[in-house]
Amino acid sequence: PTYTHCSLGCSRYSTVMGVKAEITVEDSPITTSGQSKGRRLRFANALTGPYVSLSTLTSGKDLYLLEFGANANAVGSILLVCSLIAPLMDSTMGALQDQGRFVSKFFPVGTWGKRAPWMLTHTLLLAPVMTAFYLPPSYDKVVVHIWFSVIWLASYWCVAAAVNSFESARVAVFPSREERVNVEQYCKLTVAVGSGVGSGMTFMAL
């Protein structure tokens, strides 16, 4: 028998997170996940939080320039450096999740899988990090620039963890191409909602 469960720790056939489904591949080939439309939408909703953060980071530079007194050249340089660091963070996060060593002590792999702990912890971390984005400790330009850099990198690290977990889980949970295409439609909706919320929050703060 082969044990199959998604990267987030849930079985392809189980409705309970963390329960493995014992199947025989020869007798029961996996063609569909069996997930309802409601569960697919709930799955796609995991992208809302990360894209709220990404949208906030993208539009938030205007808040720092217009309200917090940041220097345009300095912010541009910070964003350039961050854009170079971001791919390294993506690859590092993927490697850490594949190894699963850092979180296995608190979240057993047999129950949670390798990805779910990263999704859970880093999505929760995004809330205080993004709150801090709007609350620099000082309006001194040096402090504002350092704050913007640190918050940007911390936010992107959390986003990388959540999105990496999501993409790995999508392949595992939805084995057929047709299902993944269907889920992508829900993902576009949740990404649009998240992006709109992030931009709207920044607009209201201006």
Side-chain angles (χ1 to χ4, degrees):
T2 301
Y3 292 96
T4 60
H5 59 90
C6 71
S7 300
L8 287 179
C10 59
S11 167
R12 284 172 174 162
Y13 289 103
S14 174
T15 58
V16 181
M17 178 74 79
V19 177
K20 292 179 180 178
E22 184 177 1
I23 64 169
T24 302
V25 176
E26 291 79 5
D27 297 335
S28 304
I30 299 174
T31 56
T32 62
S33 65
Q35 305 291 333
S36 65
K37 291 182 179 180
R39 289 182 66 84
R40 293 177 188 181
L41 177 60
R42 188 170 65 181
F43 180 86
N45 190 52
L47 286 177
T48 302
Y51 275 88
V52 169
S53 301
L54 282 178
S55 179
T56 299
L57 294 176
T58 301
S59 58
K61 67 180 186 300
D62 295 329
L63 180 66
Y64 273 71
L65 293 173
L66 300 176
E67 299 294 335
F68 298 159
N71 179 271
N73 292 330
V75 170
S77 299
I78 291 169
L79 291 176
L80 175 61
V81 172
C82 289
S83 67
L84 297 175
I85 296 175
L88 299 177
M89 297 173 72
D90 288 327
S91 59
T92 301
M93 177 56 67
L96 290 175
Q97 291 186 10
D98 288 338
Q99 295 171 4
R101 292 183 300 178
F102 291 95
V103 296
S104 59
K105 181 178 179 180
F106 305 99
F107 302 93
V109 174
T111 302
W112 287 82
K114 292 183 178 180
R115 313 287 178 176
W118 295 91
M119 169 70 81
L120 174 64
T121 56
H122 286 70
T123 300
L124 292 176
L125 281 173
L126 276 173
V129 170
M130 295 316 301
T131 299
F133 182 80
Y134 292 99
L135 301 171
S138 169
Y139 290 129
D140 178 80
K141 285 192 175 183
V142 175
V143 175
V144 167
H145 295 154
I146 294 175
W147 190 256
F148 181 80
S149 304
V150 171
I151 295 298
W152 200 101
L153 291 173
S155 300
Y156 192 84
W157 177 260
C158 293
V159 169
V163 174
N164 192 301
S165 299
F166 179 88
E167 294 299 340
S168 298
R170 174 159 53 175
V171 175
V173 176
F174 304 102
S176 68
R177 179 179 178 276
E178 291 74 14
E179 282 189 306
R180 289 197 290 271
V181 170
N182 180 261
V183 171
E184 180 64 23
Q185 297 175 354
Y186 294 115
C187 291
K188 290 178 180 179
L189 174 62
T190 56
V191 166
V193 171
S195 300
V197 170
S199 299
M201 290 168 59
T202 303
F203 177 78
M204 290 188 293
L206 288 174

